[in-house]
């Protein structure tokens, strides 16, 4: 990464004229912004951009839309996952399209702009969410793009896990947590962390509140974490083992060969979201 905490990796053979055969995947996190270009004909990752420790990730996205030509190419599909405080999960037997506004009254903040519904048929619920004002305004240019809540990619990866498991997806200053039992989502939340003590506090809070048996539950990690760093060492105080999640969709990720395979798992897993 450069001095701006950002990195841009591009396949030198990538031709912007092939954008119509590619998907653009965008992840606007709590304090991070990243995107990937995936060629659906060759199943190849053609580009990855990542910036950590953004003061305002939605604003970073809006600003970059004005300067980064890769973001405005005519893609086959555009998929954007955005961190938002306004997201709730509604069991499918209680959800109808006509009830969107009714459910929105339980949001943390008064919603600005459109309300979105994201079905999770595998887990039996629908996520209702709205976007932060800045992200909502920035996304007006992506008229054909589909919007997702921040947990969409982690949920897509969790569909393949048939065991009691805690999934943690890290950026430099935050992490998304997802806990599943018997193919049911028990808990999902995002936490901002400034230091290791805060991470340890939230980790213990999750373990204790959910009564997780750390000897039996599996631990799956993705994002900006690696074996031996402080957060990984902290996790092994409570769990006997931690497995890293790599995207298992046969993508050619040659441009990421010098990076840990799990760093961009959640970003690339957006391609599996429907």
């Amino acid at each position: 990464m450069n001095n701006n905490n950002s990195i841009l990796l591009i396949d030198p053979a990538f031709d912007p004229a092939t954008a119509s055969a590619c998907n653009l995947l965008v992840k606007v996190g709590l304090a991070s912004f990243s995107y990937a270009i995936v060629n659906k004909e060759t199943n190849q990752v053609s580009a990855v951009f990542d910036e950590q420790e953004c003061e305002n990730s939605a604003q970073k996205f809006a600003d970059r839309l004005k300067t980064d030509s890769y973001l405005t190419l005519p893609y086959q599909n555009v998929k954007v996952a955005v961190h938002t405080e306004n997201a709730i999960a509604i069991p499918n037997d209680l959800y109808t399209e006509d009830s969107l506004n009714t459910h929105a009254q339980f949001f943390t903040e008064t919603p600005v702009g459109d309300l979105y519904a994201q079905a999770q048929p595998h887990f039996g619920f629908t996520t209702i969410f709205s976007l932060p004002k800045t992200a909502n305004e920035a996304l007006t240019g992506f008229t054909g793009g589909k919007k997702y809540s921040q947990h969409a990619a982690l949920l897509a990866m969790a569909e393949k896990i048939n065991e009691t498991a805690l999934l943690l997806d890290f950026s430099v200053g935050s992490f998304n947590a997802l806990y599943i039992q018997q193919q049911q989502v028990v808990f999902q939340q995002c936490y901002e962390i400034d230091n290791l003590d805060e991470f340890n506090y939230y980790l213990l809070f999750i373990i204790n509140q959910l009564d997780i048996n750390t000897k039996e539950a599996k631990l799956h990690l993705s994002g900006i974490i690696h074996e031996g760093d402080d957060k990984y060492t902290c996790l092994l105080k409570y769990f006997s083992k931690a497995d890293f999640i790599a995207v298992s969709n046969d993508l050619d990720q040659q441009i990421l060969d010098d990076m840990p395979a799990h760093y961009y798992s959640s970003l690339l897993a957006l391609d599996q979201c429907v």
Side-chain angles (χ1 to χ4, degrees), residues 116-128:
Y116 299 96
Q118 175 196 334
Q120 296 291 345
H122 182 85
F123 292 113
F125 66 86
T126 297
T127 301
I128 308 299

Side-chain angles (χ1 to χ4, degrees), residues 14 25 43 62 99 134 153 172 178 184 200 204 245-246 250 253 268:
F14 173 63
L25 314 173
N43 215 30
S99 63
T134 305
V172 169
L178 176 67
Q184 296 294 315
N200 187 70
L204 284 177
I245 309 173
D250 299 322
Q253 302 180 49
L268 296 175

Side-chain angles (χ1 to χ4, degrees), residues 193-264:
I193 48 174
D194 290 329
N195 51 56
L196 186 62
D197 287 339
E198 286 191 3
F199 173 64
N200 187 70
Y201 170 82
Y202 287 125
L203 178 61
L204 284 177
F205 174 81
I206 292 169
I207 291 172
N208 292 330
Q209 289 296 308
L210 302 178
D211 195 23
I212 297 176
N213 185 333
T214 57
K215 294 181 180 179
E216 296 182 1
K218 303 299 182 183
L219 179 63
H220 298 277
L221 310 177
S222 62
I224 311 302
I225 185 173
H226 55 84
E227 189 170 350
D229 73 8
D230 289 344
K231 291 191 286 290
Y232 183 89
T233 301
C234 179
L235 286 163
L236 291 190
K237 291 193 301 183
Y238 311 105
F239 294 86
S240 59
K241 182 184 178 184
D243 295 319
F244 292 107
I245 309 173
V247 176
S248 57
N249 52 2
D250 299 322
L251 281 176
D252 178 352
Q253 302 180 49
Q254 187 174 349
I255 67 167
L256 297 174
D257 280 351
D258 293 332
M259 310 291 288
H262 61 276
Y263 264 27
Y264 301 111

Side-chain angles (χ1 to χ4, degrees), residues 79-84 86-92 95-97 100 103 107 115-131 146-157 159 178 185 188 269-270 272-274:
K79 301 182 179 184
V80 187
V82 182
H83 170 79
T84 174
N86 285 348
I88 55 175
I90 308 297
N92 283 341
Y95 169 76
T96 65
E97 291 185 9
L100 275 175
H103 295 308
F107 283 165
L115 299 178
Y116 299 96
Q118 175 196 334
Q120 296 291 345
H122 182 85
F123 292 113
F125 66 86
T126 297
T127 301
I128 308 299
F129 64 101
S130 66
L131 302 181
K146 186 163 184 180
K147 289 79 173 176
Y148 300 86
S149 68
Q150 67 264 29
H151 293 288
L154 205 54
L155 287 164
M157 292 190 288
E159 289 184 12
L178 176 67
V185 172
Q188 54 181 340
L270 271 177
Q272 302 170 16
C273 297
V274 296

Side-chain angles (χ1 to χ4, degrees), residues 41-79:
E41 291 184 349
T42 62
N43 215 30
Q44 180 181 26
V45 180
S46 298
V48 167
F49 171 84
D50 181 45
E51 181 164 345
Q52 297 288 318
E53 299 179 280
C54 303
E55 285 190 13
N56 186 327
S57 53
Q59 186 61 54
K60 174 63 65 175
F61 174 42
D63 293 343
R64 197 158 184 93
L65 275 172
K66 302 173 185 176
T67 61
D68 190 335
S69 61
Y70 290 112
L71 284 173
T72 54
L73 295 173
Y75 292 102
Q76 182 180 115
N77 290 297
V78 175
K79 301 182 179 184

